[in-house]
């Protein structure tokens, strides 16, 4: 690509010679936490972007003149697996095999093959296996795990005997056959989460699942002690879903280097994107497994813009190889959700057609069809796309967020998960300094409008250990109240809250003539009149969503009636029909 006036800074940065020119004149870019945003601009746009810093006269033209002298970089060419990776005299299926004889339903069955390691097995070897039970078959992709170890992972979803046979361009790995017995699932294993009744979720065995999520982007890139502290916090927290990144993150309060990197090489010498670092991926899957033990779904973010190592700006060939590798490694984990990107519209190097192609790679490579979505910053993705199972939403209005939930349900006819409604905290930016009361209110607003809201926390810390990025400990007042809401939601009949016809000033959800949940938010009525269908008797509960109390009001109620309320905010009323 030739470098010129209209070239995005990201393309200049990706060119080593172009980056050298930029840093010669604009050295502050090297460590700027806003580099991801800057890369979306052109140099003329950057020159006028900050009123507090005026570029010296002639600087822009000087930089552009030097950039225009840089020759275009050649297109990256990736090797294609050859059909003769091993010599013909190598006996087919001669690789050593390690595999258990049985696996529980919805658990991970791992078939390990001990084979060749010459050349670059990450790109030179193609490995798959067909798992079959009666007339049904599933094709599973294998991966190279280093040191001559090849693995295929399978999540059996029906009990009984499964047989398998490998297929590979490496003779020693080809044609290996075996079988496994799928036994009943463990008591706490309900299978992967699926969409249920259009707007809600359930585990594959039918048990309702209500996503009560939090965000902890880079917790898995921290030192071991901090990761242990995060898991200890999650053990007693109310959350059953956690948003986390595959790649390390570089942003405010998170400017250090990760413990492991996904590729061989270094930032200084360059990354060999044809050679994955198995240690990095083993660590990732170990942490995902630990979340599974806690009953937490890992909402795994495959791409994000907050990067200084180049992982957000790889070529399409490198991106595709990465996606095939990570889906081969992780698809068999029952607690995986695929988030194709976090804030996709901030990733200057990707176009809409790239996201659609990447989604096709992920969904076609995942034989179990885990939940999949993509997350926005300023512009909503088209959530009506058939590969998207649910809407992963960041608010696009500074104030009004969960209040839009029922509108989004109608627009996209899919579950609405507001993964980013802002964060409880006290940092300088508005997305990270709402109160615990406001976070709790947004959770309730989303719930009674038929959706699910996600949590995050950004309280200042002397060591820059903010939960939203690094994990550690929770300091806010909302998690306990969110747990209280979770208990109420789990008691709702019918498998989830759905909006009902509401008054102009208060949302309501439930099942008509059976169950009603009214939420008054920041309003503080001292009484309320209700007009219900005659002939149905209700008991009424007054719910203090902040003090976390439920008071059953005296009496039974039918038709038109008035309830006395305490005249304080964050109250809800629950009406439950009594059986005759």
């Amino acid at each position: 690509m030739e470098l010129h006036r209209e070239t995005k800074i990201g393309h200049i940065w990706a060119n080593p010679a172009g980056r050298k020119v930029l840093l010669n004149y604009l050295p502050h870019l090297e460590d700027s936490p806003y580099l991801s945003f800057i890369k979306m601009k052109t140099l003329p746009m950057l020159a006028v972007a900050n009123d507090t810093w005026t570029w010296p006269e002639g600087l822009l033209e000087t930089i552009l003149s030097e950039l225009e002298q840089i020759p275009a970089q050649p297109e990256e060419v990736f090797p294609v697996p050859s059909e003769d990776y091993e010599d013909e005299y190598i006996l087919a299926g001669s690789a050593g095999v390690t595999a258990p004889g049985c696996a529980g339903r919805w658990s991970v069955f791992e078939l390990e093959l001990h084979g060749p390691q010459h050349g670059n097995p990450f790109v030179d070897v193609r490995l798959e296996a067909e798992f079959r039970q009666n007339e049904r078959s599933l094709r599973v992709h294998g991966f190279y795990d280093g040191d001559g170890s090849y693995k295929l992972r399978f999540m059996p979803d029906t009990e009984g005997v499964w047989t398998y046979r490998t297929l590979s361009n490496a003779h020693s790995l080809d044609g290996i056959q075996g079988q496994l017995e799928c036994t009943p699932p463990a008591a706490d294993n309900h299978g992967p989460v699926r969409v249920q009744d259009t707007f809600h979720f359930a585990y594959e065995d039918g048990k309702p699942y209500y996503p009560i999520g939090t965000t902890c982007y880079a917790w898995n890139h921290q030192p071991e002690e901090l990761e242990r502290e995060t898991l200890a916090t999650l053990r007693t927290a109310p959350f059953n879903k956690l948003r986390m990144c595959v790649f390390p993150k570089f942003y405010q309060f998170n400017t250090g280097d990760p413990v492991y990197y996904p590729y061989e090489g270094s930032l200084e010498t360059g990354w060999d994107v044809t050679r994955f670092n198995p240690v990095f991926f083993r660590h990732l899957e170990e942490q995902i497994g630990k979340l599974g033990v806690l009953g937490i779904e890992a909402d795994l973010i495959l791409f994000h813009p907050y990067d200084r190592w180049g992982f957000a700006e790889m070529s399409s060939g490198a991106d595709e190889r990465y996606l095939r590798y990570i889906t081969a490694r992780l698809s068999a984990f029952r607690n995986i959700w695929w988030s194709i990107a976090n804030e996709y519209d901030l990733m200057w190097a990707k176009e809409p057609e790239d996201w659609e192609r990447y989604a096709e790679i992920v969904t076609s490579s995942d034989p179990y069809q885990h939940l999949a979505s993509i997350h926005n910053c300023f512009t909503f993705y088209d959530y009506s796309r058939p590969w998207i199972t649910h809407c992963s939403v960041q608010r696009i209005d500074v104030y009004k967020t969960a209040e839009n939930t029922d509108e989004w349900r109608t627009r996209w006819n899919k579950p609405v998960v507001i993964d980013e409604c802002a964060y409880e905290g006290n940092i300088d930016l508005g997305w990270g300094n709402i109160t615990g009361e406001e976070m709790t209110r947004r959770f309730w607003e989303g719930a009674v409008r038929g959706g699910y809201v996600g949590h995050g926390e950004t309280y200042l810390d002397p060591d820059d250990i903010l939960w939203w990025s690094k994990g550690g400990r929770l300091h806010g007042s909302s998690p306990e109240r969110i747990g209280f809401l979770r208990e109420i939601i789990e008691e709702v009949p019918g498998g989830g809250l759905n909006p009902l016809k509401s008054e102009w000033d208060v949302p309501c959800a439930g099942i008509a003539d059976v169950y009603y949940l009214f939420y008054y938010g920041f309003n503080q009525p001292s009484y309320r009149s209700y007009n219900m269908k005659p002939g149905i008797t209700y008991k009424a509960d007054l719910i203090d969503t902040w003090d976390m109390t439920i008071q059953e009001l005296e009496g039974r109620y039918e038709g038109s009636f008035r309830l006395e309320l305490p005249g304080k905010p964050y109250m809800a009323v629950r009406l439950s029909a009594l059986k005759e």
Side-chain angles (χ1 to χ4, degrees):
M1 171 181 286
E2 295 182 352
L3 306 181
H4 51 77
R5 179 178 293 271
E6 298 306 316
T7 302
K8 288 182 180 179
I9 291 172
H11 288 298
I12 302 172
W13 191 267
N15 184 311
R19 183 185 302 187
K20 185 175 180 180
V21 171
L22 287 179
L23 292 179
N24 183 44
Y25 293 100
L26 307 170
H28 65 282
L29 294 182
E30 180 79 61
D31 298 313
S32 172
Y34 303 106
L35 185 59
S36 300
F37 300 95
I38 292 171
K39 288 179 178 180
M40 301 174 67
K41 303 178 182 295
T42 63
L43 279 169
M45 293 167 62
L46 181 64
V48 298
N50 190 338
D51 291 337
T52 64
W53 180 43
T54 302
W55 284 29
E57 184 176 354
L59 176 61
L60 174 61
E61 297 305 323
T62 298
I63 297 174
L64 289 171
S65 177
E66 292 191 24
L67 291 174
E68 289 169 357
Q69 306 306 313
I70 298 173
Q73 287 184 300
E75 291 292 324
E76 192 170 9
V77 178
F78 287 92
V80 177
S82 169
E83 291 303 319
D84 55 357
Y85 172 69
E86 285 186 304
D87 294 331
E88 292 183 359
Y89 66 80
I90 300 294
L91 187 63
S94 59
V97 179
T98 302
C102 63
R105 188 180 183 191
W106 300 310
S107 68
V108 179
F109 168 82
E110 183 174 279
L111 172 65
E112 183 176 10
L113 309 179
H114 309 279
Q117 48 186 311
H118 60 275
N120 182 357
F122 290 109
V123 296
D124 294 339
V125 176
R126 185 181 67 254
L127 176 63
E128 298 177 325
E130 183 180 55
F131 285 78
R132 179 174 293 274
Q133 187 183 65
N134 301 320
E135 300 303 314
R136 181 168 175 242
S137 66
L138 291 175
R139 184 67 63 92
V140 171
H141 297 280
F143 62 92
Y144 184 59
D145 198 33
D147 299 322
S149 173
Y150 299 81
K151 293 179 179 178
L152 297 117
R153 290 175 175 158
F154 176 60
M155 182 183 70
D157 57 2
T158 55
E159 297 173 29
V161 175
W162 288 82
T163 60
Y164 56 83
R165 179 185 177 90
T166 64
L167 304 94
S168 179
N169 66 330
H171 298 302
S172 62
L173 306 176
D174 185 55
I176 294 173
Q177 301 183 61
Q179 68 177 41
L180 69 112
E181 174 78 19
C182 177
T183 58
D188 59 349
N189 185 345
H190 303 284
V193 174
R194 309 296 190 193
V195 172
Q196 176 86 351
D197 297 331
T198 307
F199 300 110
H200 302 290
F201 302 92
Y203 295 101
E204 193 159 301
D205 70 354
K207 179 182 178 181
Y209 169 81
Y210 308 101
I212 305 295
T214 189
T215 293
C216 216
Y217 285 124
W219 81 277
N220 50 304
H221 297 287
Q222 307 308 315
E224 182 179 354
E225 182 177 353
L226 183 53
E227 290 180 335
R228 285 200 303 266
E229 185 176 42
T230 303
L231 290 166
T233 299
L234 289 169
R235 191 169 293 113
T236 58
F239 307 115
N240 59 11
K241 183 173 84 75
L242 185 140
R243 300 177 66 230
M244 56 185 286
C245 299
V246 175
F247 290 124
K249 182 178 180 181
F250 177 76
Y251 193 50
Q252 289 178 297
F253 312 106
N254 189 29
T255 56
D257 290 309
V259 177
Y260 307 108
Y261 290 99
Y263 296 99
E264 293 185 10
S266 67
L267 180 60
E268 294 72 27
T269 62
W271 306 106
D272 184 349
V273 295
T274 69
R275 291 182 179 272
F276 297 102
N277 176 12
V279 173
F280 173 93
F281 289 93
R282 290 178 205 145
H283 177 74
L284 172 65
E285 62 201 22
E286 179 183 357
Q287 302 307 79
I288 291 171
K290 289 177 180 177
L291 292 178
V293 171
L294 297 177
I296 297 173
E297 302 291 304
D299 195 353
L300 193 64
I301 297 164
L302 300 177
F303 292 103
H304 69 82
Y306 302 102
D307 169 84
R308 72 179 183 90
W309 303 277
F311 306 132
E313 303 161 359
M314 299 186 298
S315 68
S316 62
D319 285 344
E320 291 180 19
R321 180 175 293 104
Y322 151 67
L323 292 174
R324 296 188 191 282
Y325 188 76
I326 198 163
T327 52
R329 291 196 74 117
L330 297 179
S331 290
F333 286 74
R334 70 179 183 274
N335 65 317
I336 282 287
W337 297 22
W338 303 119
S339 178
I340 304 299
N342 183 73
E343 298 184 339
Y344 80 92
D345 45 332
L346 297 188
M347 298 193 69
W348 66 270
K350 316 292 190 223
E351 301 297 336
E353 55 268 25
D354 293 316
W355 298 123
E356 287 297 302
R357 186 172 69 257
Y358 295 165
E360 195 281 329
I361 291 170
V362 170
T363 55
S364 64
S365 300
D366 174 8
Y368 317 105
Q369 296 299 289
H370 290 288
L371 298 176
S373 192
I374 189 168
H375 172 268
N376 68 288
C377 183
F378 300 114
T379 305
F380 287 138
Y381 204 83
D382 178 8
Y383 291 111
S384 66
R385 298 295 300 160
W387 64 267
I388 295 178
T389 57
H390 63 285
C391 310
S392 175
V393 174
Q394 175 175 184
R395 51 96 181 95
I396 58 174
D397 184 286
V398 174
Y399 301 106
K400 188 178 179 183
T401 302
E403 293 85 350
N404 293 312
T405 304
D406 40 4
E407 174 193 332
W408 293 333
R409 279 176 39 130
T410 301
R411 184 191 308 180
W412 293 308
N413 202 41
K414 291 179 181 179
V416 173
V417 182
I418 304 174
D419 279 313
E420 193 169 339
C421 74
Y423 302 125
E424 178 185 352
N426 60 0
I427 64 172
D428 62 326
L429 297 171
W431 54 259
N433 57 27
I434 66 172
T435 64
E437 289 91 340
E438 178 61 12
M439 174 65 76
T440 304
R441 187 193 71 81
R442 294 184 184 193
F443 261 79
W444 272 86
E445 284 281 352
V448 295
R449 296 177 188 275
Y452 302 92
V453 179
H455 162 272
E457 185 179 289
T458 49
Y459 281 105
L460 290 169
D461 179 86
D463 297 317
D464 280 352
I465 301 176
L466 280 65
W467 174 264
W468 134 94
S469 190
K470 295 180 181 178
R473 293 183 294 114
L474 288 164
H475 304 278
S477 56
S478 66
E480 187 178 6
R481 277 82 185 179
I482 292 168
F484 178 67
L485 171 61
R486 176 178 173 176
E487 293 174 2
I488 289 173
I489 293 175
E490 289 175 345
E491 294 174 352
V492 173
L497 283 169
N498 289 297
L500 294 173
K501 183 179 180 181
S502 303
E503 300 292 340
W504 67 274
D505 61 339
V506 58
C508 173
I511 302 173
D513 304 330
V514 176
Y515 179 98
Y516 294 83
L517 187 62
F518 301 87
Y519 180 59
Y520 297 100
F522 44 64
N523 294 303
Q524 48 183 8
S526 58
Y527 67 91
R528 190 78 184 190
S529 297
Y530 299 83
N531 297 287
M532 312 303 292
K533 184 184 296 184
I536 303 173
T537 303
Y538 295 91
K539 78 178 186 72
D541 295 315
L542 179 62
I543 301 173
D544 188 322
T545 69
W546 186 251
D547 289 340
M548 298 176 288
T549 60
I550 301 176
Q551 175 191 354
E552 182 176 341
L553 302 181
E554 293 184 4
R556 295 295 180 257
Y557 304 89
E558 178 187 343
S560 297
F561 54 88
R562 167 173 160 161
L563 295 180
E564 301 302 319
L565 304 179
K568 57 186 291 192
Y570 311 126
M571 304 301 292
V573 167
R574 180 171 61 189
L575 299 179
S576 303
L578 297 173
K579 296 181 180 179
E580 295 182 1

